[in-house]
Every structure is written in structure tokens, then in C-alpha cells.
Amino acid sequence: MATAILMPKLGLTMTEGTVDAWYKQAGDSVEKGEVIATISSEKLTHDVEAPEAGVLQIVTAEEQEQVCKEPIGYVGAAGEEVASVAVPEEPVMSNEATAEAPIEVKAPVRQQGTRIFITPIARKIAAERGYDYTQIPGTGGNGRITRRDVESYVPVAEAAPVKAISNTGEGLTGMRKVIAKRMHASLHDTAQVTLHRKANISPLMKFREKMKKKLGDEGKASLGINVLLTRAVVLALKDHPEMNASYANGEHTKHEAIHIGMAVAVDAGLIVPVMRDATNQSLSQLADSLQNVATGARNNTLSSDLLSGSTFTISNLGHAGVEYFTPILNTPEIGILGVGALSTKLVFTKKGKVKEQQELPLSLTFDHQVVDGAPAGEFLQTICQYLENPYRLVF
Amino acid sequence: MTRKITFMQAINEALDQSMDRDNNVILLGEDIAGGATIDHLGNEGAWGGVFGVTKGLVEKHGRERVIDTPISEMGYMGAAVGAAATGLRPVPELMFNDFLGFCFDTLLAQGSKMRYMFGGKAKIPMTVRTCHGAGASAAAQHSGSYYGMLGSIPGIKVVVPSNPYDAKGLLNAAIEDDNIVIFSEDKTLYGIKDEVPEDYYTVEIGKAKVKREGSDLTIVTIGKMLYVANDVADALEKDGVSVEVIDLVTAAPWDQDTIVNSVKKTGRLIIIDEANPHNNTATDISSVVANKAFDYLDGPIKCVCAPNTPVPFATNLEQLYLPNKEKVLDVAAELIQDLKKS
Amino acid sequence: MKKLTKQKAAWIYEKMNDIRNFEDEVHRIFTSGEIPGFVHLYAGEEAVATGVCAHLTDEDYITSTHRGHGHCIAKGCDLNGMMAEIYGKETGLCKGKGGSMHIADIDKGMLGANGMVGGGFPIAVGAGLRNQYLKTDSVVVCFFGDGAANEGGFHEGINMAAIWKLPVIFVCENNMFAESTPQSYSSASKTIAQRAAAYDIPGVKVDGMNLKEVYDAAGEAVERARKGEGPTLIECLTYRKYGHFEGDEQKYKAKEGPEKEHADTDCIELFRKEAIAGRLLTAKQADDIEEKSRQDVAAAIKFAEESPVPRPEALLEDVYVD
């Protein structure tokens, strides 16, 4: 009997994936454990291994999508008729059949094709809020969707903007397609403004030297510029909770916890691994987190849980010599900090002497829909103040 | 000054005070005084109506104004129409609303249509007192509820009081009204007592009363059904369901604004009407609300009515016939299923 | 009892002619299709309405029947308003909303033609009760047909009027047919008048083609009523010139015999002859009345034709007193 090769489900929010490439042709013999295909989801790419030894049958062609846990192919004996074995006649393509609802499931998930009952007021409110009511569980009599069901419904945050611009990203696949949709949706749905300012980090650099000498190799990692910068951002976010927020579906939500997303370039594109609960992490803990996510991202070993859920994002293009730029919001977040290349400038002291100063160019993009320029500027200033008074970073 | 008096006393008092105020008010009906022309009785009534509602009125106002009629429902009801058309303000009593068949022409084809047929030149200021309602073991021909049937006739107003205060105020208002008003009394309420002002006052016809405010479910009641709704509201309140109870007061033309606005607030509606289930006031309310508040409905409109049968005699069957708390809770369950979860 | 004066005779002759001309014209126009609905014509029975109403004032009431044009005219309703009403015009007595079967003019004491056969009995009793209660000497005349005599309301109404001695005169216009069914078939009693015995009230049968007989009987009954002596039942044997309604083939009418002789009697011609003979009218006077009546009816038709139809909003008006 043939064994199905399933589209893997990598993380809670993954509902479908794209077959990027088959490394074997249909009819080829494969060994158990041999990498036979690569699939990609919104967040990552993944190699698929043959579950058994045998002859490969392909169900999902390259660049086509398949719902998670549904077969993309089979491995069986030579000549075995597999098409009839386990393939559903009509693969269920809509995600309502398999998606795990992000909120507590109150009613049995509807069978596809069954009629949906919804009360007139519930239908009206769903329309006003732009909800797709087919996604809302009904808890009223006869399973009908009531006003309360609509009002307590929390739409899947990631799903909504992607649906709204379904034409964007056409012709692209996998992570590229996701990035395309995300970036387009971000610019389409927000009012982005970018503020630029430099931080004088000469004191910070001196502080680093001192600390390095004191701590030796042990503390080296903790004193990376990204770690210090992250710490400064975390502290500034604690001072300005309105920036640690999201804005989606008409609601501006300030978050208690601070999860910092760190944009990381990978071969396939760009991902934003998350350092969760950064609020109270010490410099060394932050350093560990940063190390973990960066390595995991490059090696494609991060679970998808660590690829979403950030509340503020940092993007560093300094390694390429970029100074200022306009980072695009990682929606629904309302702020992203762009970090440029460190440079050394000559400046005049108050007494009129010339002095060397190390400067870090910072670019803060914020969503003007919910935050105005002045508070955003103050937030950026607070980041600079932490960087310019480095001892505050350790307390 | 108010004091506790019965529903029946409240009606009697309204008749008495209305007769004091307006000499054109006369009462007509079978045995409403009783013992007419019996020498030894003179102006003393033998009965004061079959339930005693009009007791004492003939002694005070005389047999010229409290007129015992032969058992001729068409005759005296039509006479009331004729007297009203020519300037009096008669208050005929139809002993049981089940006798409507005998006098229907005078209301259906004569009184209700005169003003319209005559190009606005006539007015028929008369109040028909009658009684309805099961629960008194009076069986099929003395227990029906036909206010809805009468209410479907243009030109007729129908009021159904639920308590002594409303009974007095509504009857006064009905007698003052220049239209035919059917004042339908639930015979099983005659004994209930409540605070009623001694002085003359009126209760507005055409205005429903919100007896209890709530946000989750509207229950509209007619007459006695108010008490069923109150029990239901108490029970549901314990489950955290907030019920708005509205006494319709006037069954026709009924107060659309109050009902529709309530449903816009709560999204759910149950109507309790003791009438048979088809073509009654409840179905009419249901139809209007479905039209005027469709986009606010958060569930189907439910009517709790009597079954499509005459009123049975056997006590147990008669109790089964009437709408009650359990029947209403039963239909409410579906409507509030989503509320009870949280 | 009031003797028929010259003045009253002229009034009666005028009203008789008005009724005849009005109905003949309605018959003619209805056939041309300009009048909608059902029309029941009074022509032929003029002696009854006029002979009775000659005793009434505007303070007295009448209830009428579906064959009510004659009662209206005899009770003083305006010809223009009546014709406009039959045309369904806004200037009609009922603003065009009643029509032929519901012409009413309460100011004139006319409580309405009535589409319900027998519908007038209890209403007349109510008006009589009102007259008695308010201690007026006004009376009520309840016109009804031989068909209505077999409705329950006949019994209830006359019985109540009798026990309370109400000032109501019940005038039966026995035109021999209830629609197409003969009175001899549908009534167990040979006459309607004899039923009065059951209520212990006077009951008389008169020749309804003879104005004088009707006038005298009604005069006596009205006088009794005004004096508080209670109701009277008068049966007037009459005949309708046209059918039950316009369009009736009248197959039931006799072609010969006593019914045919009765039918061929014209109460207006008869009254003209007798009035002139009795020196109540001159021929010249009678001619003038006839001519004026024709002109008045022609004017009424012109008025009705030229009047506007009701405003659309009138549909919803006057259902209730606001």
C-alpha cells in the first residue's frame, strides 16, 4: 500500500504550503529519508523526506499549493495504483476545513457546503466590520451566528490583510509571495512616517571597551551593538507604551509584553524572528535570545511560533554601509526602528574644540494613524538617551 | 389618594365616574342592572351584570341610564351604534366576547364603517365592554379571546387591560374616545387587587407600557399574559438574561414604535397572546416587526399562543390550552442559547 | 292628524318627480358605463318615501336601505351631492367614499343608505332611544324591504322599540320581491303588517302606490311616536320600476294578472290626477314642478360630471376620529 507524503504543518498558524521543487521525477525510486522536495510556507522553507522507500507519485506539482496534512505525493510499490488510495476526490482547499481557529472554538466547525445560519443583526454587524461571517462560529439556536458571536469574534490578524490584496504577489511563491503581500499591505493600510536622527554613541563605545576588559570573553557576546541597541529599544518602549502596540481591524491595542522582532536576511528573502518577552531580560539573556533566533533563522530551524508575534521590530542595514532608510512597518505593529552604519565624525565641543564622535543613524517609522509625530520623536529621543547614557542600559 | 381595589371595582368606578361627568353616557346590556320592571326591586338591580361588574350603578344612575336589554345582542349593539351616531356615548356590554356572532354586523359592517362611508361626517363614540379568556372552566362558548379578530377591523380600537389601574384609566379614556373602542376584560382578572387612584384619570389608548426594562429579550404581552411574562423574566434573570416586558395595553391599533424600538435594542422577541394562533395580534406584531426591525433581529420571532382549538372544558386540558411560563421558557431557550453560554 | 295641505302636496309632487327623474337618469347613465359599482333604483316606489317623509323635519331621523336614493331625496339630501356621490366624486355627500349604497347626510337626519339588508333596524332603535333619553319629540323612521323583514334584526329591533315604547316607525316597502324571490315564498305570515300583533303594536298595510294612503298612515304613526306611544309597523305594497339592481333581467316579474296591473300603476301619475282633482295642485303648477325637476336633475348630472375625483390621500382619511 502506498504511503502518503503529506504537506507538513510547521507551526500553529500554517494552513497551507507551496511545493517549491521536486528533486525526483514521478516514477523515480526513492529511499526512505531521502530529501525529495522542498516546500515553503509564509514563514519558512522546509525539506520533505520520503516516508518510505518506493516509487514516487506526485500529486501537487511544483509551485502549487496544498493544504497542510494533505498528500503532495505518494511512495509505493512500482506500478501501484495510488491515485485512488487516499486522495480525496476534491481536495479541500479552503482553510475553514482545517484551520485551527485562533480563538477558543465554541461550536463544532461547520462542514464545508452546509448552509450557514446567521441572524439579520449579526449579518449586518459582520458586514460593517468587514468580517467574513463564514469564519465565525455560531452558538445560537440551530447553530446560527448571533450578534454576540460576531461581537466576540477576533479575526485572524495575519489572514485579513493577505485576503484584502489577493492580487498582490501573483506569480511569486512561498516566502517571496508572502513578503510581497505583507509589504504591499503594510504600505496600503497604514500612514507611515519615518523620522531620522543620529545617536552619539561615543560614550557607549567607551562603556563597551571598559566592560569588555572587565568581563573578558565571557561578556563579549553581551556587548554586541545589536544587543545594546535592543536593550535601549526595550527600555524606551517601557517608557512609551503607546509605541509597543498594534493597530488592526479598527482597534489600537497596547501590548503588555514586549516581543522584539529582528529582521534577518536569509537566502530565500527576509524573516523576522522574535525575541519573546524581552522586557525584563538582562543584556546576557538578550544576547542569548538574539543568537538563538538569528542562528535558527539562517539554518531554517525555527518553529513558526518564533516567526510571528513581535510587538516592535528592529531592522539593521548597517553592515551594508547604509545610513538612513525608511523601514516598512511590520504590520499590525505601529513602529519599526531602522539602524544604519556606525560612523565617526568630527564635531565641535562647546568650548570650540574639534573632537571625534561616533554616531549611529537611526530611522523610526511609525503609523501616523494612531501616533503623532511629536510622541514618536520623543520615543526616538528616548532611545538615543539610553544609548548616550549606557549605564542606564544595565539597570 | 389611592387604595387597593379589585379589577372589577376599578371598572365599576370608571363607569360611575364617566356617567357622573357626562350625561350622554348610558349603559346597555343583558342583566347589567337585572330585574327590570320588577315592582319590589324598583331601582335596585337584581344582578349588576353576570359578574357583578356594574353592581350599584343602576341604584345611583337610574334605569334610564343603566338599561337592561332583552337577550338581543344585535338589537342592543346596533342600538348603541345608532345612539352613538346621533349623539349619545353608549357603553354596551357584550356579556362574553363569544357572543360576537350575534351582533357582529353592527360592529363589522355598520359602526366601524360609518365614519369612512359617510365621508367623515359621522362619529360613533361608543365603548363595548366585553370579557374574554380561558381559565374559568367556562368551556368553548364562554372562554374565547377574540380581541385580535375585532382589532383587525379598521375603525375599531381594542384595549385589553392587565391590571386595576389600567382598567379604570383605559375605560375612562375609551368612553371619552370618539371612536368605537372594544374594552376587553379578562374574566379571570376580576378579583386581582392593586392601588388605584380614587379620582378620575385616563390611561392613553394606543400606548404600550414597558413594565420592566431589559436588554437581551423583549416579551410583548396582551392582558393577563403579562403575569406569565413576569414569571419568565424572573426565571431568565437568574441565568443572567435581561428581559424587557411590554404590556401591549392597546391591541389595536397597537403601539408599533414602542415594540419596534425595543426589538431594535434586544434583537429578540417573544409575543404571548392567549388567542388562537393564526391571524391574531401576535402574528400581526410578528409581521410588522419582521418588516420594520429585520436588520436588528438576532433570532426568529416567537409567538406563544393558545393552540388551534376551541377552549376545552376539563380543567387539566384548559390549563394545557393556556400559554404559561414553561411554554415561554421552552421557546426562549433557543433564542437565548448563545447568551446563556457566557 | 295633519291634513294634506296645498303646500305639502307641492312639496310631495316635487320630491316624487325628483326621485323619478333622478333614477331614470341614473338608469340611463349607468347603462352607458359612467357610473361604477352596484346601483339599486327606487323608481316606482316614490309614494312611500315622500308620503312618509312629508311628516318629518330635519330633527327626525331615518334609516334606509340599499335602495336608498328615494329616501335621501325625500329627506332633503342635495341632488348635486347625491349624484356626485354616485359618480364617486369628491363633491359627493360622502366625498365619493360611500357610493350609491351608503349615501348619508346626518345633518339632515339621514343615517345612511345601508348595504346590509336589515341593517337599519337596530340603528333606528338606537336613534329612537336617543330621542327618548334626551326627551325630544323627534321620531325615527326605519325603512326596510320585504326581504329585510326576514332578518333577525327585524324581530330584535321591533321588539326592543316596542318594550321601550320608542318613537320609531317601521315602514316596510313591500315591492313583492327580495331580489328575485317573492315575498309570498319567503314570509310565513301573509303580510308583514300582521306581525305587529306579536309585538303588541299597531300594524297597518296600505297601498304603497297611493300617496294619500301612505301619507295618512304615516301621519298617524308619527303622531303616536311623538306622543311617546311607541312604534308602529306600516307595510306599503309597492313595486319597483326597474330590477333589483341595474342589469337584472327581471325574469321573475309577471307579464299579466294582478301583479302586472299593480306594476302598471304609476304612483306619480296617480297622485297628479288626484291632487289636481282635489284642488291641491293646478295642472300648471304640476307642469312647472315637472319641468324644474328635470332641470335640477340635469344640473346635478352636470355638477357630478364636472366634479373632481377624490384626492389620493382621502383613501386613508376618516377611518378614526383623531
Side-chain angles (χ1 to χ4, degrees):
Chain A
M1 175 163 174
T3 304
I5 309 161
L6 301 178
M7 173 62 74
K9 182 168 172 57
L10 309 166
L12 268 183
T13 56
M14 178 174 171
T15 57
E16 59 190 27
T18 306
V19 177
D20 288 342
W22 284 104
Y23 300 132
K24 296 280 180 177
Q25 305 278 327
D28 285 357
S29 291
V30 297
E31 294 303 318
K32 180 174 180 177
E34 185 181 359
V35 173
I36 52 173
T38 299
I39 61 98
S40 62
S41 74
E42 291 186 359
K43 306 248 169 66
L44 36 76
T45 56
H46 179 82
D47 287 339
V48 178
E49 298 173 355
E52 296 291 340
V55 176
L56 179 66
Q57 293 276 341
I58 290 175
V59 171
T60 306
E62 285 185 2
E63 295 194 6
Q64 284 193 347
E65 293 181 339
Q66 178 59 290
V67 173
C68 294
K69 296 178 181 173
E70 291 294 331
I72 59 173
Y74 292 89
V75 180
E80 184 173 4
E81 190 64 49
V82 293
S84 63
V85 175
V87 187
E89 278 185 13
E90 280 179 40
V92 183
M93 293 305 289
S94 86
N95 51 14
E96 68 196 33
T98 50
E100 284 178 35
I103 53 166
E104 179 201 1
V105 178
K106 290 184 179 175
V109 173
R110 256 170 236 116
Q111 293 294 309
Q112 196 188 16
T114 56
R115 197 176 151 189
I116 294 167
F117 297 103
I118 176 167
T119 67
I121 186 73
R123 186 190 296 268
K124 188 176 168 214
I125 294 172
E128 282 166 2
R129 297 192 178 182
Y131 291 173
D132 172 8
Y133 69 75
T134 62
Q135 302 303 309
I136 304 175
T139 67
N142 197 28
R144 71 177 78 86
I145 302 164
T146 64
R147 176 188 196 133
R148 174 165 295 208
D149 294 333
V150 177
E151 287 179 343
S152 63
Y153 173 68
V154 181
V156 186
E158 297 98 317
V162 172
K163 268 193 190 309
I165 47 149
S166 56
N167 285 336
T168 309
E170 223 150 77
L172 303 174
T173 58
M175 186 181 291
R176 197 65 255 157
K177 185 172 179 176
V178 173
I179 293 170
K181 288 182 173 183
R182 285 286 192 85
M183 292 300 107
H184 186 277
S186 176
L187 287 174
H188 185 267
D189 295 342
T190 64
Q192 309 202 2
V193 178
T194 306
L195 306 177
H196 303 290
R197 99 165 253 174
K198 56 184 178 286
N200 169 11
I201 59 164
S202 298
L204 182 70
M205 299 313 276
K206 281 185 193 136
F207 166 80
R208 274 182 83 200
E209 292 309 312
K210 271 190 196 169
M211 297 302 286
K212 271 185 185 170
K213 278 179 190 158
K214 282 191 179 173
L215 299 171
D217 281 353
E218 207 176 309
K220 210 174 169 185
S222 311
L223 294 168
I225 194 78
N226 277 335
V227 177
L228 294 166
L229 191 62
T230 303
R231 179 65 180 159
V233 167
V234 168
L235 291 171
L237 285 171
K238 280 172 81 173
D239 294 344
H240 297 269
E242 73 275 8
M243 293 300 299
N244 189 48
S246 58
Y247 179 59
N249 297 309
E251 285 184 35
H252 180 200
T253 313
K254 291 176 194 169
H255 302 294
E256 286 263 322
I258 298 172
H259 308 306
I260 298 294
M262 188 63 74
V264 177
V266 294
D267 293 344
L270 174 73
I271 61 173
V272 185
V274 181
M275 293 178 280
R276 298 188 71 85
D277 297 312
T279 323
N280 295 314
Q281 290 190 23
S282 66
L283 286 174
S284 60
Q285 285 169 320
L286 275 179
D288 285 348
S289 300
L290 196 57
Q291 184 67 38
N292 286 344
V293 296
T295 314
R298 293 201 177 91
N299 298 340
N300 207 359
T301 56
L302 283 179
S303 93
S304 108
D305 301 345
L306 285 182
L307 287 169
S308 65
S310 55
T311 59
F312 189 90
T313 298
I314 299 172
S315 175
N316 193 335
L317 294 180
H319 57 86
V322 170
E323 284 197 297
Y324 295 105
F325 62 106
T326 57
I328 293 178
L329 288 172
N330 183 20
T331 52
E333 290 165 32
I334 60 159
I336 182 168
L337 185 70
V339 184
L342 181 70
S343 62
T344 305
K345 297 269 168 70
L346 289 176
V347 297
F348 288 101
T349 65
K350 281 177 188 164
K351 290 175 182 168
K353 289 182 178 173
V354 176
K355 167 182 132 176
E356 258 187 19
Q357 180 172 300
Q358 286 173 299
E359 290 177 357
L360 189 65
L362 297 176
S363 304
L364 173 71
T365 297
F366 64 97
D367 188 348
H368 211 325
Q369 291 181 107
V370 290
V371 177
D372 292 330
E378 283 166 22
F379 171 66
L380 185 56
Q381 185 176 30
T382 304
I383 296 173
C384 292
Q385 283 167 353
Y386 279 112
L387 293 174
E388 288 164 6
N389 298 284
Y391 286 96
R392 292 177 62 187
L393 296 176
V394 291
F395 297 111
Chain B
M1 258 298 281
T2 73
R3 70 280 183 249
K4 283 202 167 193
I5 58 171
T6 64
F7 192 82
M8 177 151 53
Q9 285 166 328
I11 293 167
N12 183 286
E13 197 165 275
L15 293 170
D16 182 32
Q17 292 179 354
S18 292
M19 292 178 85
D20 281 344
R21 287 165 58 92
D22 184 350
N23 197 51
N24 283 336
V25 175
I26 58 167
L27 313 187
L28 292 147
E30 293 150 0
D31 307 294
I32 59 168
T37 71
I38 303 220
D39 284 344
H40 67 262
L41 284 173
N43 249 12
E44 190 192 329
W47 276 18
V50 70
F51 293 104
V53 177
T54 45
K55 224 179 179 90
L57 295 176
V58 70
E59 290 82 349
K60 179 172 168 190
H61 299 283
R63 289 195 180 269
E64 307 75 45
R65 299 186 71 191
V66 182
I67 304 168
D68 280 337
T69 68
I71 300 193
S72 302
E73 286 85 9
M74 179 185 188
Y76 74 79
M77 197 63 75
V81 171
T86 55
L88 297 189
R89 209 164 270 278
V91 185
E93 177 190 295
L94 184 62
M95 193 183 287
F96 292 87
N97 73 3
D98 310 73
F99 303 170
L100 194 54
F102 282 118
C103 60
F104 206 19
D105 177 74
T106 66
L107 298 171
L108 173 74
Q110 310 292 345
S112 68
K113 291 179 175 151
M114 277 186 177
R115 182 173 182 76
Y116 193 81
M117 290 194 299
F118 300 170
K121 284 188 201 152
K123 59 179 188 183
I124 314 296
M126 70 185 249
T127 300
V128 181
R129 283 186 48 245
T130 189
C131 75
H132 66 267
S137 297
Q141 292 178 337
H142 293 74
S143 301
S145 294
Y146 302 118
Y147 42 76
M149 189 190 287
L150 287 161
S152 70
I153 302 170
I156 286 185
K157 296 182 181 180
V158 181
V159 295
V160 185
S162 66
N163 60 80
Y165 177 89
D166 285 356
K168 178 174 169 181
L170 280 171
L171 184 49
N172 285 334
I175 294 171
E176 277 187 24
D177 200 293
D178 279 341
N179 296 285
I180 297 183
V181 181
I182 310 289
F183 184 86
S184 199
E185 304 157 14
D186 190 308
K187 63 177 86 67
T188 64
L189 291 182
Y190 280 139
I192 65 161
K193 277 193 167 179
D194 207 349
E195 293 288 337
V196 175
E198 281 178 13
D199 290 342
Y200 180 91
Y201 63 91
T202 59
V203 167
E204 188 183 348
I205 294 174
K207 191 93 189 88
K209 289 190 174 184
V210 177
K211 304 297 274 194
R212 166 174 191 145
E213 290 194 11
S215 55
D216 295 329
L217 167 65
T218 300
I219 302 184
V220 174
T221 67
I222 302 169
K224 175 171 70 176
M225 295 300 118
L226 170 65
Y227 304 101
V228 175
N230 281 341
D231 287 350
V232 169
D234 286 341
L236 291 180
E237 211 102 302
K238 287 179 193 141
D239 287 333
V241 178
S242 162
V243 180
E244 180 142 306
V245 176
I246 300 178
D247 181 351
L248 195 60
V249 181
T250 301
W254 56 273
D255 182 353
Q256 299 193 4
D257 287 348
T258 298
I259 310 300
V260 168
N261 287 338
S262 176
V263 176
K264 283 184 177 175
K265 179 173 71 171
T266 64
R268 301 174 182 83
L269 174 63
I270 295 174
I271 308 142
I272 319 178
D273 181 356
E274 190 191 321
N276 293 119
H278 303 297
N279 304 304
N280 62 19
T281 314
T283 57
D284 187 46
I285 292 173
S286 170
S287 147
V288 171
V289 171
N291 273 286
K292 293 200 168 177
F294 181 78
D295 282 327
Y296 297 85
L297 288 175
D298 209 8
I301 299 168
K302 298 283 184 180
C303 298
V304 181
C305 301
N308 197 29
T309 68
V311 180
F313 172 65
T315 312
N316 66 324
L317 294 182
E318 190 180 32
Q319 287 309 311
L320 280 175
Y321 172 92
L322 282 164
N324 60 23
K325 178 182 157 190
E326 287 66 37
K327 291 182 189 178
V328 179
L329 283 174
D330 203 37
V331 303
E334 184 196 328
L335 285 180
I336 57 168
Q337 185 174 313
D338 57 326
L339 296 184
K340 288 177 92 171
K341 282 192 90 84
S342 55
Chain C
M1 194 193 76
K2 279 182 187 162
K3 259 193 76 127
L4 190 55
T5 61
K6 287 184 179 176
Q7 200 188 357
K8 195 60 93 180
W11 180 90
I12 287 171
Y13 195 62
E14 176 196 319
K15 294 297 178 191
M16 287 179 113
N17 275 277
D18 282 352
I19 296 170
R20 180 64 59 88
N21 288 323
F22 190 93
E23 298 296 62
D24 284 351
E25 284 300 282
V26 170
H27 172 76
R28 181 181 64 77
I29 299 163
F30 186 87
T31 315
S32 76
E34 280 183 56
I35 293 173
F38 306 135
V39 176
H40 308 82
L41 298 178
Y42 193 78
E45 305 183 10
E46 293 86 350
V48 183
T50 57
V52 173
C53 291
H55 297 285
L56 306 181
T57 72
D58 283 357
E59 303 304 309
D60 297 314
Y61 293 107
I62 64 167
T63 63
S64 173
T65 69
H66 57 282
R67 195 176 309 289
H69 302 171
H71 308 131
C72 292
I73 291 171
K75 194 68 178 65
C77 292
D78 175 51
L79 292 182
N80 288 358
M82 283 182 63
M83 191 63 87
E85 186 61 33
I86 292 168
Y87 268 76
K89 296 297 183 74
E90 187 166 32
T91 53
L93 280 180
C94 303
K95 301 182 186 168
K97 289 164 73 175
S100 165
M101 272 190 288
H102 307 302
I103 300 178
D105 193 347
I106 290 182
D107 295 340
K108 299 269 183 199
M110 165 58 190
L111 294 177
N114 204 315
M116 312 311 291
V117 172
F121 295 111
I123 293 170
V125 168
L129 185 67
R130 174 259 185 205
N131 289 346
Q132 185 185 65
Y133 179 74
L134 296 179
K135 302 188 167 43
T136 69
D137 68 351
S138 300
V139 301
V140 185
V141 173
C142 173
F143 289 105
F144 64 99
D146 49 293
N150 299 323
E151 287 277 13
F154 170 93
H155 163 67
E156 292 194 21
I158 297 181
N159 183 58
M160 283 171 62
I163 64 165
W164 292 335
K165 292 205 179 324
L166 298 181
V168 185
I169 300 96
F170 296 93
V171 177
C172 177
E173 294 169 325
N174 180 357
N175 59 23
M176 304 181 67
F177 293 96
E179 305 191 345
S180 72
T181 303
Q183 188 252 336
S184 57
Y185 165 83
S186 51
S187 172
S189 64
K190 199 164 166 61
T191 70
I192 307 301
Q194 76 188 80
R195 298 190 196 173
Y199 308 103
D200 200 20
I201 61 169
V204 291
K205 180 169 179 174
V206 298
D207 178 1
M209 294 303 194
N210 186 321
L211 184 279
K212 189 75 177 33
E213 275 194 37
V214 176
Y215 181 83
D216 289 346
E220 199 172 326
V222 168
E223 201 169 290
R224 260 175 51 78
R226 289 203 201 283
K227 286 197 294 197
E229 292 173 10
T232 304
L233 173 58
I234 303 173
E235 177 181 0
C236 305
L237 186 66
T238 181
Y239 205 78
R240 47 172 140 81
K241 180 177 168 187
Y242 299 108
H244 167 64
F245 53 81
E246 285 308 271
D248 179 0
E249 284 182 69
Q250 308 173 61
K251 286 199 260 185
Y252 47 86
K253 284 187 172 177
K255 306 274 185 299
E256 56 190 9
E259 183 192 324
K260 184 72 169 75
E261 279 169 37
H262 175 61
D264 288 343
T265 312
D266 185 324
C267 63
I268 300 179
E269 277 174 26
L270 187 67
F271 179 59
R272 180 186 158 115
K273 215 179 290 171
E274 290 186 354
I276 290 171
R279 294 171 188 263
L280 290 168
L281 279 178
T282 64
K284 167 82 170 63
Q285 243 186 318
D287 290 346
D288 288 351
I289 287 172
E290 287 166 21
E291 180 51 33
K292 179 168 187 303
S293 176
R294 276 190 290 271
Q295 285 172 10
D296 287 350
V297 170
I301 293 165
K302 186 162 187 290
F303 174 81
E305 284 176 344
E306 290 173 358
S307 289
V309 296
R311 297 158 296 118
E313 50 275 31
L315 171 69
L316 302 179
E317 292 170 354
D318 292 326
V319 177
Y320 292 93
V321 182
D322 295 324

